[in-house]
Amino acid sequence: MSFIKDKIIISANSIAKYMKSQGDNITSSVIINYAKFLCDAYLIHKVNRYDIHGKKLFESNDKFYFEDNGLRNTLTGGSREGDIEKVIENIIYNHLIRLGYEVTIGQLQAGKIDFVCNKPEGQQIYVQASYIIADEATREREFGNLRAIKDNYPKYVISMTPLVDRQDSEGISHLHLRRFLTKGLE
């Protein structure tokens, strides 16, 4: 399953093309069946994309997260330094599920929101995941996408940026990953 190493966003066609380049002739329908089997076995979670402005679910470009980060790390091999952002995103996804949210991936016309989260009683939040926000370009990417959403639901950026415990700016809360994992979104 070396195709998992570089991609978390899974396209059955791109995986089939990759496998063909490696000498294996596997169709995209076989890839889709394997992904379904992995979901049914609770090894991975399929997460739908949600059009934030159109308020509808997309039927393609799903994203998959591992149920267990240890399993993910074993399958992807190598050092965690190269994919630390994906590891953090997977950890945040799993914790949001444990907090009782139904999670989708947000799609904007000019970008994406890592997580659009809803609770059954109607509470909705938006979450961006980042490793370290060390420069203005990263800050604009993470906070700018949230500012582009013109509703009043709570918005969060969760990162491992040093010296950040919780900071609120322009209606967006910036939380340290450790705080999020121990105290939730409070």
Side-chain angles (χ1 to χ4, degrees):
M1 296 182 71
S2 62
F3 59 84
I4 296 173
K5 183 173 184 177
D6 298 324
K7 295 191 180 225
I8 293 298
I9 297 176
I10 296 178
S11 158
N13 287 331
S14 66
I15 293 172
K17 287 178 187 175
Y18 172 80
M19 297 301 283
K20 189 173 185 174
S21 76
Q22 300 298 308
D24 293 320
N25 193 14
I26 297 176
T27 66
S28 58
S29 60
V30 170
I31 301 297
I32 290 168
N33 285 335
Y34 275 115
K36 184 182 179 326
F37 296 146
L38 291 172
C39 287
D40 290 348
Y42 299 105
L43 296 173
I44 62 174
H45 293 264
K46 175 181 157 189
V47 182
N48 295 320
R49 290 194 181 273
Y50 177 74
D51 179 3
I52 293 172
H53 295 299
K55 309 268 188 241
K56 64 179 180 177
L57 284 175
F58 289 116
E59 293 185 20
S60 63
N61 290 332
D62 301 320
K63 197 166 183 179
F64 292 81
Y65 291 95
F66 282 87
E67 172 75 26
D68 182 305
N69 268 334
L71 177 63
R72 179 203 182 279
N73 294 344
T74 299
L75 290 173
T76 59
S79 129
R80 299 285 61 84
E81 293 173 21
D83 64 347
I84 187 69
E85 294 216 2
K86 293 174 186 170
V87 171
I88 290 170
E89 191 173 325
N90 206 112
I91 289 168
I92 292 171
Y93 168 80
N94 282 326
H95 197 64
L96 288 166
I97 295 296
R98 286 184 191 97
L99 292 174
Y101 288 99
E102 180 181 309
V103 180
T104 57
I105 307 302
Q107 187 68 46
L108 297 168
Q109 288 179 341
K112 70 173 186 72
I113 301 297
D114 290 328
F115 304 114
V116 178
C117 311
N118 292 285
K119 282 202 172 174
E121 58 271 9
Q123 178 188 8
Q124 181 171 314
I125 63 169
Y126 301 102
V127 177
Q128 288 286 85
S130 185
Y131 174 39
I132 294 180
I133 299 176
D135 57 39
E136 196 54 40
T138 306
R139 176 172 289 286
E140 184 55 34
R141 181 184 70 232
E142 302 300 347
F143 286 83
N145 286 348
L146 290 171
R147 283 193 300 269
I149 302 170
K150 300 301 182 195
D151 62 30
N152 291 321
Y153 292 116
K155 299 168 179 79
Y156 299 91
V157 174
I158 301 172
S159 75
M160 291 183 65
T161 304
L163 305 178
V164 169
D165 185 44
R166 180 186 183 121
Q167 295 176 349
D168 295 319
S169 173
E170 301 178 60
I172 301 170
S173 297
H174 185 185
L175 301 176
H176 193 279
L177 178 62
R178 182 176 305 220
R179 179 189 174 110
F180 169 67
L181 294 174
T182 57
K183 298 181 181 180
L185 295 167
E186 62 180 59

